[in-house]
Amino acid sequence: MEQRRFSGKGHWYHETQTNHCPDEVLPLVPEAAHVDDRFLLDLALPDEIVTPCESWLTPARALCDLLFPLHVPVNRLHTLSAYDRLSTALTVAQACGVQRLCNHYAALLAPLPGPDSSRESNQRLAQITQYARQLASSPDVIDDKAQRQLDEVGLSTYDIILINQIIGFVGFQARVVAAFQALLGHPVRWLPGHHLPPHAPTDGCTVSDWKPIFAGVELRYATAQQLESLSRWQSVPELRELTPVLCHEPMLLDRTGEILKSLHYGVKKRDVAAPSLPVARALLTCSPDRFSAAQFTPLVDDGIPAAAAIYLLTWGAFCGWLDRLKIALGERS
């Protein structure tokens, strides 16, 4: 798969067809690959805003390194290459419509060698791309058929858990970056054809009648790290049912749980409640590509300090992440 730049669009599309023209694979913004902060992408934010967020920003940055290393060994159980991962991230960034994020993942992806041009490889990548776009933009369409299609193109349980974590995480990242850009008053840059429909998170990130469709880690075969993660997070209400499945990749689970713990504590400490506005729900679930100062300012005008508003919006973004994991990895009983 190679990226193609379409004139007049101002952002990246990518396709699953092979193209041999070298002039078309140069990154749109090559410098976007080189950032000191891989999560916030070097946004110039005031210390009084960033410092209170460090407890959840630190594991979020760590997840960038865990999910998107530039060199990934693949084997029979872990088949997702660096290219597969970044291609999926770019698909989600495009669906969310956040230009800064599209530039970053496109610039990281462009120099990597793509898969071979066989029919099987093209079909596999096309299926992953379609699934990522659907879960990011229209999660309600994900069903048993979508899961079977991932299995049919050779993804293992480990791959499916990883791909869903990537989709959820990049969607979370998009919403957080959009919120910080809105705080700074950056203009929204709408990307044509990639509007993300609103998707309201469940209250408190919990679904009482949910059950996983993937087997959890078998205790008799679990590693010490898996057992430690299982013990650490299964008592957390928002992660209780997900933990046995996510524990297949314990390092990812640990960082996800740390973000949850920090955000939950931060929202509670600041006594942040949803604003008493008629549009409160829309503000918290607004599509990242439409979120601007026009949506952020009413939160502050309603008496919520800017730092607390960021926590509230980030918590909503995290609930969207967990929602997508539950849609992808389980079903309502």
Side-chain angles (χ1 to χ4, degrees):
M1 186 180 75
E2 296 182 359
Q3 293 72 43
R4 297 179 61 192
R5 180 179 177 179
F6 290 81
S7 61
K9 294 297 184 183
H11 66 103
W12 278 96
Y13 291 91
H14 64 84
E15 298 183 346
T16 57
Q17 297 177 350
T18 301
N19 189 307
H20 296 289
C21 178
D23 295 333
E24 293 188 352
V25 297
L26 295 175
L28 180 62
V29 186
E31 62 273 16
H34 308 291
V35 292
D36 294 324
D37 187 338
R38 295 185 66 182
F39 184 73
L40 292 181
L41 307 179
D42 290 353
L43 278 171
L45 294 161
D47 291 341
E48 61 268 23
I49 295 295
V50 175
T51 300
C53 298
E54 285 296 336
S55 59
W56 61 265
L57 280 174
T58 297
R61 292 176 182 126
L63 272 175
C64 290
D65 295 327
L66 289 172
L67 292 171
F68 307 114
L70 295 183
H71 303 286
V72 179
V74 296
N75 54 45
R76 184 176 58 85
L77 294 179
H78 300 81
T79 72
L80 295 174
S81 65
Y83 190 95
D84 294 329
R85 297 174 184 220
L86 287 170
S87 172
T88 301
L90 177 56
T91 296
V92 178
Q94 288 175 335
C96 292
V98 177
Q99 180 74 65
R100 181 183 295 268
L101 213 57
C102 293
N103 290 345
H104 176 65
Y105 287 119
L108 287 174
L109 180 65
L112 296 183
D116 63 66
S117 57
S118 68
R119 183 170 178 265
E120 291 77 11
S121 293
N122 281 337
Q123 183 179 4
R124 176 181 179 275
L125 191 55
Q127 194 60 58
I128 291 172
T129 300
Q130 175 182 295
Y131 179 84
R133 185 178 294 114
Q134 288 177 336
L135 184 57
S137 60
S138 304
D140 294 336
V141 307
I142 298 296
D143 55 15
D144 293 344
K145 180 181 178 182
Q147 301 291 359
R148 287 197 306 272
Q149 288 172 332
L150 292 180
D151 180 69
E152 289 168 0
V153 296
L155 268 64
S156 68
T157 297
Y158 294 95
D159 294 331
I160 292 173
I161 291 170
L162 176 57
I163 209 76
N164 283 301
Q165 276 284 39
I166 288 173
I167 296 166
F169 174 76
V170 176
F172 169 74
Q173 184 183 19
R175 291 184 180 278
V176 172
V177 169
F180 277 116
Q181 289 183 153
L183 179 148
L184 294 172
H186 290 187
V188 168
R189 186 173 185 184
W190 291 4
L191 305 184
H194 286 284
H195 176 55
L196 179 64
H199 178 68
T202 56
D203 294 330
C205 299
T206 58
V207 178
S208 58
D209 57 350
W210 182 90
K211 64 178 182 181
I213 59 175
F214 291 90
V217 170
E218 290 191 45
L219 296 183
R220 56 181 174 168
Y221 299 125
T223 66
Q225 188 176 26
Q226 287 174 328
L227 291 173
E228 182 180 351
S229 294
L230 189 66
S231 174
R232 184 180 182 186
W233 302 112
Q234 202 162 19
S235 62
V236 177
E238 294 84 356
L239 291 175
R240 182 175 295 121
E241 295 86 0
L242 277 167
T243 290
V245 178
L246 295 182
C247 208
H248 283 290
E249 295 288 353
M251 294 179 69
L252 300 183
L253 171 59
D254 286 345
R255 303 294 87 76
T256 303
E258 287 164 8
I259 294 173
L260 165 64
K261 184 177 179 180
S262 172
L263 287 174
H264 191 275
Y265 174 77
V267 170
K268 184 177 180 180
K269 178 182 178 182
R270 290 164 175 78
D271 193 25
V272 182
S276 57
L277 299 168
V279 294
R281 196 69 170 171
L283 286 174
L284 297 179
T285 61
C286 180
S287 173
D289 66 334
R290 300 297 195 263
F291 196 86
S292 68
Q295 284 74 41
F296 189 89
T297 302
L299 295 174
V300 179
D301 290 345
D302 204 52
I304 299 178
I310 287 292
Y311 258 90
L312 180 63
L313 292 167
T314 304
W315 175 248
F318 186 85
C319 286
W321 178 1
L322 286 193
D323 272 358
R324 282 161 173 80
L325 286 177
K326 289 186 174 182
I327 288 169
L329 301 176
E331 61 186 3
R332 289 179 179 272
S333 58

